Amino acid sequence: MRLLRDLSLKVRLTLLYVGLFSALLVVLAAGFYLETRHFLIAETASDLQAQIETAVGRWHGGMPLPPPPPAPPGAPSGRPSPSVASQGDLASLVRDVVERGDSAVVVDASGRVLASAGEGAGLAKAWEPCTPKLVPNRATTCLVRLSGERYLVGAMPLGAGGDVLLVGRSLRPVEQVLFRQQLMLGVGVGLLLLFGTLLGFWLTSSALAPLDDMVETCNRIAAGDLSQRVNLPRRNDEIGRLAAAFDHMVDRVEATMEAQQRFVASAAHELRTPLAALQGSMDVLLRDALDDPPTARRLVQGMYREVTRLFRLCDQLLGLSRAHLAESVHRRPVDLSSFFHEFMMQAGFLAQERHLSLQEGDPVTIPVDPDALKRILFNLVDNAVQHTAEGGEIVVGWRESPGGVEIFVKDNGEGIRPEDLPHVFEPFYRGDRSRSRRWGGAGLGLALVKALVEAHGGRVGVSSTPGKGATFTIWLPGE
Ligand SMILES: Nc1ncnc2c1ncn2[C@@H]1O[C@H](COP(=O)(O)OP(=O)(O)OP(=O)(O)O)[C@@H](O)[C@H]1O
Ligand SMILES: [Mg+2]
């Protein structure tokens, strides 16, 4: 069993296939052989029967024999009864019935040989173990072994006296035919098995070859080369689909690794900027500005701003890493009307000179983490404020949507350029870099929004017409 498990899959499949194939072939060949043997012996038997019945009919003068006498014993029959049939009569019957190497014998009820030809004498002995029920006017057959050879013996009673004619026919010709057939079947089955084994091995090898390619590709990927793919020519079987799924998985892994590398590089870059500013200010302070209180104060104020920025950045990075975990959100039923009223009171200070209003939908309660939803809305309103001129309009609200609720934050500010639109949810992406930097954003707000919404099983979307404003929508599931 262990040996079998150590064999390669293609060898195991080939063995299984060859095993089943050979079992099937052997059963078919044996069935065919036995059926032919049965047919040939049955043909020989009916030929022998016909020959005996014709000869005995002729011997009786062309008339069929009457059935065994119901009349008193010794009553005369149409033909000479065996007791009165002469030896010459019986000898002529025996001669008549023998053809092409057959043997014949007539025995009486006590087994005494009355007349014989060929192997006749031995035939009477070989017949003894056969005990078929003899029927008048009909020859009955039995298979016997005589002088090491198989014979088919036909027996027919010669009237009521108990004499029986036995005719034996050697089965050697039949056995020769069967031997030739056995030989042909053996050679045929052998050739078929050889051909089938080679074909089976070739088929399983070519079907499983892509698995070897996949193992090699996996090893190269494990060695660090993520650009490797199986790239199997298009085939729609299980292995083709496995290879396609494998390539797709490696695509995703590569994209994720690249995104992670970009993320780390961007995070390091964002951290480096305030740190460089801090280092510069400290340099100046340490060299000579400590003696100049107004300059020192200005520098420390700048350092304080940079430290605040660093804190915010770290806070956003932490929030983003937590938001990717679905278990970090604690959902509970929240009534959106009361939630939004409370939010509007807290967000009022954000709007500054913009007009912030609430567009209420039908009263609805959805399972959501209220702290996460607040964070999402603060980020969206903060963005809307950053990108809307003073006096602009910002509308926040919700409406029912199939399967859940759609929450929106709409402004009539500068909008988003079409080329920026597909990227705004990527971490560290800032549409108009110079302008965003003025506000000090790292480009993490919308990435955090997306991660939090997806942790709720929801979706985010954005639409915008440059110069006319932007609308961010969040769909959250109702259950
Ligand atoms: N309401 C909006 N109107 C126009 N542009 C927007 C709006 N909201 C987002 N954007 C664009 O999407 C970019 C990404 O926004 P995001 O909130 O992720 O980053 P940020 O606001 O620049 O920085 P952070 O939110 O980290 O402080 C912004 O830089 C801006 O170009
Ligand atoms: Mg933002």
Side-chain angles (χ1 to χ4, degrees), residues 85-416:
S86 72
Q87 296 283 333
D89 251 359
L90 291 173
S92 73
L93 167 66
V94 162
R95 262 198 316 279
D96 185 30
V97 84
V98 168
E99 59 175 49
R100 283 173 294 143
D102 290 348
S103 308
V105 64
V106 177
V107 288
D108 63 12
S110 62
R112 193 162 55 89
V113 174
L114 302 177
S116 89
E119 295 272 359
L123 206 59
K125 198 146 189 58
W127 169 258
E128 273 166 18
C130 287
T131 49
K133 195 171 174 331
L134 295 178
V135 183
N137 284 352
R138 298 274 333 236
T140 317
T141 56
C142 172
L143 277 171
V144 302
R145 196 164 268 285
L146 179 59
S147 323
E149 237 182 82
R150 281 154 69 77
Y151 273 74
L152 188 67
V153 181
M156 185 161 168
L158 296 174
D163 291 354
V164 178
L165 169 66
L166 300 175
V167 180
R169 179 169 292 177
S170 166
L171 284 177
R172 186 181 289 168
V174 171
E175 276 169 354
Q176 276 169 351
V177 170
L178 287 173
F179 176 73
R180 274 203 302 278
Q181 197 184 63
Q182 246 174 325
L183 207 67
M184 271 159 49
L185 279 175
V187 171
V189 165
L191 282 177
L192 269 176
L193 269 181
L194 182 72
F195 181 68
T197 308
L198 292 176
L199 185 74
F201 191 72
W202 178 74
L203 277 178
T204 42
S205 299
S206 60
L208 297 179
L211 290 183
D212 287 336
D213 293 349
M214 281 173 77
V215 171
E216 263 182 44
T217 310
C218 282
N219 287 337
R220 284 200 291 266
I221 290 172
D225 184 1
L226 271 174
S227 66
Q228 292 293 325
R229 299 289 181 277
V230 183
N231 271 338
L232 202 64
R234 217 180 137 63
R235 46 189 271 184
N236 206 21
D237 58 8
E238 287 79 354
I239 292 184
R241 289 201 296 276
L242 175 67
F246 178 82
D247 282 351
H248 181 62
M249 183 195 75
V250 181
D251 282 347
R252 292 287 306 268
V253 170
E254 191 182 21
T256 310
M257 298 281 278
E258 278 174 10
Q260 251 174 14
Q261 277 163 2
R262 271 202 309 275
F263 186 89
V264 171
S266 305
H269 181 76
E270 288 299 324
L271 288 169
R272 206 174 180 284
T273 312
L275 286 173
L278 275 175
Q279 192 184 34
S281 303
M282 282 174 172
D283 259 2
V284 179
L285 265 180
L286 286 174
R287 261 189 276 122
D288 41 27
L290 280 175
D291 303 332
D292 178 3
T295 311
R297 186 179 174 74
R298 193 172 45 79
L299 285 171
V300 172
Q301 278 172 343
M303 285 164 70
Y304 183 77
R305 273 198 306 277
E306 293 303 332
V307 170
T308 311
R309 192 172 155 188
L310 272 175
F311 260 125
R312 185 167 182 266
L313 189 61
C314 288
D315 194 40
Q316 277 181 313
L317 283 172
L318 262 178
L320 194 59
S321 74
R322 281 203 202 108
H324 281 295
L325 307 170
E327 54 275 22
S328 67
V329 297
H330 306 288
R331 297 207 270 176
R332 61 180 170 82
V334 170
D335 168 33
L336 284 190
S337 298
S338 44
F339 172 85
F340 268 93
H341 282 291
E342 190 187 323
F343 171 76
M344 292 304 281
M345 280 196 300
Q346 292 170 347
F349 78 95
L350 268 182
Q352 295 159 18
E353 300 304 315
R354 287 87 181 160
H355 182 64
L356 178 65
S357 62
L358 176 66
Q359 191 176 314
E360 291 188 57
D362 292 336
V364 63
T365 300
I366 56 165
V368 70
D369 182 337
D371 294 334
L373 186 57
K374 216 170 269 177
R375 205 157 180 189
I376 291 169
L377 288 169
F378 269 122
N379 266 295
L380 293 177
V381 171
D382 179 49
N383 279 352
V385 170
Q386 304 295 345
H387 299 281
T388 307
E390 287 185 2
E393 291 275 339
I394 300 171
V395 184
V396 181
W398 79 91
R399 55 182 158 250
E400 283 200 58
S401 160
V405 168
E406 198 169 77
I407 295 170
F408 54 87
V409 176
K410 191 162 68 179
D411 65 62
N412 62 354
E414 66 197 41
I416 304 171

